[in-house]
Amino acid sequence: MSIQENLKEKTLVQLLKEAVSHCQSQGIFTGTGTPKIVLEVPKHDGQGDFATTLALSLAKIEKKPPREIASHLVSALTDQVSWIEKIEIAGPGYINFFLTNAYWLQTLLNIHDQQTHFGKSTPKNKERVLIEFVSANPTGPLHIASGRAAALGDALARLLETVGHKVDCEYYLNDIGTQMTLLGRSTYLRYRELFGETVTLLEGSYQGEYIIEIAETIKKQKGDQYLDRDEASSLPFFTKFSFDTIVFWIKKDLHDFGIDFDRWFSESELHEKNEVDLALDFLKTKTMSYQKNGASWVNTTQFGDDKDRVVVRSNGQKTYFASDIAYHKNKFDRGYDRLINIFGADHHGYINRMKAAVQALGYNPKNMTILIHQLVNLLRDGKPVKMSKRAGTFVTLREVLEEVGVDATRFFFLMRRSDTSLDFDLELAKKATNENPVFYVQYAHARLCSIVRVAKEKAWDVDHVIQNPNLQSLAALTLPEELAIIRLLSQYPELIKSSAEAMEPHRITFYLQSLAGLLHSYYFSCRVITEDVALTKARLVLVTAIRIVLQNGLHILGLTAPEEM
RNA sequence: GCGUCUGUAGCUCAAUCGGAUAGAGCAACGGCCUUCUAAGCCGUAGGUUGCAGGUUCAAUUCCUGCCAGGCGCACCA
């Protein structure tokens, strides 16, 4: 890690720790040991670069006023460190640290030194992570709600990789079962209809236009050869053809959305390899399952589920849950340290039963994280659009991508915490193209590129300037705006770590907006390219550093960083 | 009824492990292009953080109860 981070993380904390023990050895403090020392970046100007609430938390133990504790601590901090400008006690007992400009300028050197690696880190425990997401049933094109899961899962994967984990992305395909049969029959009926037959659509059958589209393709390719055959012998073909077509669409939609899964895992594969039976047998030998009323149940209640769950129905059919158990066993057996599942809120009832199942299988449920994202409320002109795949009334991800654009759609989904529901107003999203915050961020990047272009046109050797920065020349950066930008830049690595820890990519969108805001403001008030050679060089280093951080952040979100707009 | 998520400015949302004066964008109003991209900048206005208690030096944050909304509670997938 950077020298600077070590300074902040270790030395400042260390100094405080030493101060505490010093006070204790002098008998000023009666307690023993040190509480956890937290450094935070104050929200307001004039409160220092870092602050600690150490004195506040010590107050209770020592039974002394926090400010008094603080002043003891500060006088114990006699060890003079060159990069501390001054220390103040403020408010109820905060200790505020003001650091020298030179300390901050070091950040710019780090950024230029690390480039795309700035913000990356190495975890204490590197994990092999499998993120399963989207996994929508392949019975129709992806709709917009899947877009949220897709954007979230992909950003999370990039984020976890940035902090040093090995991440694979997987899509679980439900390619067998009653839904598949229903899909095949829906297409089959539409096929007959194309030859002039009057058909009665099945109860609950898929009725979207796309079914007719698939039927037409079959008609084109196969003519009337299925017309005289009975349904039973035709169905396997219609089911497979429909499935293949839809999976092709889904892959294409996701690819165009910037997401390519490492693996598409078929449910049927589990059955072919007998893994479902093996998993159920395994539970039986572990006495985690039992027979009741002719069905086979897993005792999930002992691990916190509301009720026990059926895995084999009394008619002999295995439930979906049985496949899920086998699937998760399969995942763990492939050697992953951590499983992450991203579910829509309509599946939140599965959390306890899946965790219980994992535990019944003998794995630690803590190694499986189920992330719930609340649903997307689709609106059109403020009025809710009811979506049903079967009725064929839904808005596809593709439609939104074509109308709103990939970057804006991704950003829109990632801007909100995943556990709040999200209103997606189609008219607003289209109309708001120019107002979407993603453009604000991307525009900042484009502006920075423009500065570099102009500088080069004016014969500045920008590359040379950037490649050879040193603290001395950067000392020309003295404006409060410039230092504010640098402080924000220096927070980037910590932001990435905490976002990854919390699995909350939305924090990055807010960070990027703040950074873009500072840049736009700075751009308006200060010119980078001036007659002042030293100043221009220093500012070129600054703006290119901003550009690197914007690029790195946008990359994690899966967005482009355009050079021109 | 039980479980779960949410409730913060007119709207959509932030708020670092419980910290100082709760912040942005949009919408509204008033300014700024002869100078590196005006998809921008500056300013004004906007709040009893759903309600009521509790915990403590400190609560948007934690706890309890209530109110409102979303979602889920199958031998469906």
Side-chain angles (χ1 to χ4, degrees):
Chain A
M1 266 296 73
S2 65
I3 302 161
Q4 183 185 1
E5 252 192 305
N6 289 338
L7 288 180
K8 182 192 123 193
E9 295 293 335
K10 284 201 189 126
T11 313
L12 216 44
V13 169
Q14 204 124 46
L15 285 174
L16 285 164
K17 230 174 236 174
E18 285 164 15
V20 173
S21 11
H22 182 259
C23 289
Q24 286 169 344
S25 67
Q26 297 291 303
I28 303 169
F29 292 173
T30 53
T32 51
T34 36
K36 194 176 174 193
I37 295 174
V38 178
L39 283 177
E40 58 183 38
V41 178
K43 290 178 206 160
H44 301 280
D45 290 342
Q47 298 176 343
D49 296 314
F50 294 103
T52 182
T53 57
L54 180 60
L56 294 165
S57 42
L58 278 172
K60 193 188 284 181
I61 307 167
E62 299 296 333
K63 301 209 168 58
K64 283 179 187 157
R67 286 192 70 110
E68 190 187 321
I69 305 255
S71 77
H72 285 306
L73 286 171
V74 171
S75 24
L77 282 170
T78 44
D79 230 352
Q80 279 316 306
V81 181
S82 61
W83 41 270
I84 295 180
E85 179 96 50
K86 61 173 173 172
I87 302 170
E88 279 180 2
I89 298 168
Y94 289 93
I95 302 173
N96 295 340
F97 297 90
F98 295 78
L99 307 186
T100 60
N101 285 1
Y103 171 89
W104 291 110
L105 295 173
Q106 175 70 36
T107 300
L108 296 180
L109 302 186
N110 293 343
I111 294 171
H112 279 285
D113 184 44
Q114 298 174 28
Q115 299 281 324
T116 56
H117 294 284
F118 183 72
K120 290 189 180 172
S121 54
T122 316
K124 284 192 197 104
N125 301 306
K126 180 173 176 167
E127 292 185 324
R128 279 191 69 200
V129 182
L130 180 67
I131 309 183
E132 181 215 325
F133 58 108
V134 185
S135 298
N137 275 350
T139 53
L142 285 183
H143 52 86
I144 186 59
S146 294
R148 185 174 194 183
L152 179 62
D154 188 56
L156 191 58
R158 292 161 183 263
L159 185 53
L160 294 178
E161 271 173 357
T162 306
V163 296
H165 297 296
K166 172 83 182 72
V167 184
D168 288 326
C169 295
E170 191 158 296
Y171 188 118
Y172 181 61
L173 274 173
N174 301 117
D175 55 350
I176 51 170
T178 54
Q179 297 305 313
M180 279 296 106
T181 311
L182 197 55
L183 173 67
R185 295 181 73 187
S186 301
T187 311
Y188 177 74
L189 289 176
R190 288 299 193 188
Y191 170 80
R192 299 198 77 90
E193 193 179 49
L194 290 175
F195 288 95
E197 279 186 30
T198 308
V199 298
T200 319
L201 294 179
L202 301 158
E203 175 80 16
S205 72
Y206 296 102
Q207 296 179 18
E209 282 292 315
Y210 64 91
I211 296 288
I212 300 173
E213 196 181 321
I214 296 171
E216 276 169 349
T217 310
I218 293 175
K219 183 185 173 188
K220 217 174 282 170
Q221 290 184 10
K222 302 287 177 182
D224 61 359
Q225 60 175 281
Y226 286 97
L227 217 48
D228 301 330
R229 297 186 28 192
D230 64 343
E231 179 173 327
S233 68
S234 306
L235 220 46
F237 169 77
F238 279 86
T239 302
K240 182 163 192 319
F241 195 95
S242 307
F243 170 81
D244 288 344
T245 306
I246 290 169
V247 170
F248 177 80
W249 289 342
I250 290 175
K251 284 187 181 175
K252 182 154 191 346
D253 286 353
L254 288 170
H255 175 79
D256 292 345
F257 198 38
I259 300 166
D260 292 294
F261 282 86
D262 296 297
R263 182 161 176 186
W264 295 72
F265 194 101
S266 292
E267 184 187 359
S268 59
E269 201 181 311
L270 288 171
H271 290 275
E272 281 159 21
K273 293 182 178 167
N274 211 29
E275 291 186 28
V276 180
D277 287 334
L278 288 172
L280 296 184
D281 287 347
F282 181 80
L283 289 176
K284 203 182 288 174
T285 58
K286 295 268 177 190
T287 65
M288 294 294 175
S289 62
Y290 60 90
Q291 299 289 316
K292 194 179 88 183
N293 300 336
S296 184
W297 302 68
V298 176
N299 186 353
T300 50
T301 44
Q302 65 175 314
F303 300 122
D305 197 5
D306 299 339
K307 52 186 103 172
D308 287 348
R309 305 289 171 179
V310 170
V311 281
V312 184
R313 290 191 268 163
S314 51
N315 65 8
Q317 282 185 336
K318 293 178 196 88
T319 62
Y320 193 85
F321 186 51
S323 300
D324 271 345
I325 291 172
Y327 180 40
H328 283 81
K329 186 173 189 314
N330 179 294
K331 287 185 190 175
F332 274 117
D333 289 348
R334 273 186 269 158
Y336 288 105
D337 305 307
R338 172 161 303 283
L339 305 184
I340 298 175
N341 294 350
I342 296 177
F343 290 163
D346 53 341
H347 284 69
H348 82 256
Y350 286 16
I351 298 178
N352 282 344
R353 90 179 60 162
M354 273 325 303
K355 291 223 164 213
V358 161
Q359 204 168 346
L361 285 167
Y363 301 101
N364 187 346
K366 287 200 174 107
N367 294 333
M368 178 173 70
T369 307
I370 298 181
L371 229 52
I372 293 295
H373 67 86
Q374 294 297 314
L375 299 183
V376 178
N377 302 318
L378 199 64
L379 308 172
R380 194 178 281 284
D381 287 329
K383 278 173 285 183
V385 180
K386 264 287 165 202
M387 292 200 294
S388 160
K389 228 187 231 190
R390 290 197 189 146
T393 54
F394 55 86
V395 176
T396 61
L397 176 60
R398 174 151 302 275
E399 284 175 297
V400 175
L401 291 187
E402 281 167 3
E403 289 170 8
V404 182
V406 172
D407 284 348
T409 305
R410 284 185 84 121
F411 199 86
F412 202 94
F413 280 137
L414 293 172
M415 265 174 63
R416 286 155 177 78
R417 239 173 54 229
S418 62
D419 53 6
T420 62
S421 61
L422 184 153
D423 289 338
F424 201 118
D425 191 309
L426 289 163
E427 295 308 315
L428 200 70
K430 281 186 243 173
K431 201 165 50 185
T433 297
N434 285 356
E435 295 155 18
N436 194 308
V438 68
F439 293 98
Y440 186 76
V441 176
Q442 290 181 321
Y443 186 56
H445 183 266
R447 271 189 154 169
L448 294 170
C449 293
S450 171
I451 294 173
V452 171
R453 271 196 306 272
V454 171
K456 284 180 176 170
E457 281 165 20
K458 294 190 176 173
W460 286 90
D461 191 348
V462 179
D463 295 330
H464 179 80
V465 170
I466 294 172
Q467 280 158 18
N468 299 282
N470 60 68
L471 278 185
Q472 218 168 355
S473 61
L474 292 179
L477 300 172
T478 54
L479 294 175
E481 300 95 297
E482 290 166 338
L483 291 163
I485 291 173
I486 297 169
R487 282 192 191 95
L488 190 57
L489 291 174
S490 76
Q491 286 173 33
Y492 179 77
E494 197 51 47
L495 167 91
I496 296 304
K497 275 190 211 163
S498 61
S499 302
E501 182 95 17
M503 300 193 186
E504 291 185 348
H506 80 273
R507 296 185 189 184
I508 300 170
T509 66
F510 283 90
Y511 175 87
L512 292 176
Q513 288 181 84
S514 313
L515 183 56
L518 289 187
L519 178 273
H520 285 309
S521 185
Y522 177 64
Y523 180 91
F524 188 82
S525 60
C526 297
R527 294 191 60 78
V528 172
I529 303 162
T530 61
E531 301 299 317
D532 185 333
V533 174
L535 187 62
T536 301
K537 282 183 177 175
R539 287 183 172 172
L540 280 171
V541 172
L542 172 65
V543 296
T544 47
I546 301 171
R547 184 184 156 187
I548 289 168
V549 173
L550 285 177
Q551 277 175 336
N552 291 357
L554 285 168
H555 177 75
I556 292 174
L557 302 178
L559 303 182
T560 59
E563 301 199 352
E564 288 178 76
M565 287 174 75

